[in-house]
Amino acid sequence: KLPIAITITITTTRMGFMIGVIFSSIMASTLQGAVKGVLICYIDHPGKMHEMHSEDTKVLGNAISLVFPDIKEFRFTDANVTVV
């Protein structure tokens, strides 16, 4: 049988690990939801997004072209804007 101090240490270590996993999961899902929200805004109304957040739209367009190198530019029909 283990001494009580070691048993308490093991128990608190396991509890701390589980609490850390839960908080990490919450933070990851919150960030994932935020990213999905930005992408949905970008897909639904890219012209409006460019009007309101032009610099962020350019950064997002550059990031998408890194993932999809075949796409060279984005043409938005509602704002007649080309983001290169």
Side-chain angles (χ1 to χ4, degrees), residues 28-66:
S29 64
T30 302
L31 290 173
Q32 185 179 20
V35 169
K36 285 180 181 179
V38 169
L39 288 176
I40 287 172
C41 289
Y42 183 73
I43 291 168
D44 282 349
H45 301 287
K48 273 287 189 213
M49 189 168 169
H50 183 73
E51 286 177 18
M52 303 301 283
H53 307 282
S54 61
E55 190 61 37
D56 294 332
T57 305
K58 290 176 186 176
V59 170
L60 183 59
N62 291 337
I64 290 175
S65 47
L66 286 175

Side-chain angles (χ1 to χ4, degrees), residues 17-32:
F17 176 76
M18 292 306 297
I19 291 171
V21 167
I22 290 168
F23 279 121
S24 297
S25 175
I26 290 169
M27 292 301 293
S29 64
T30 302
L31 290 173
Q32 185 179 20

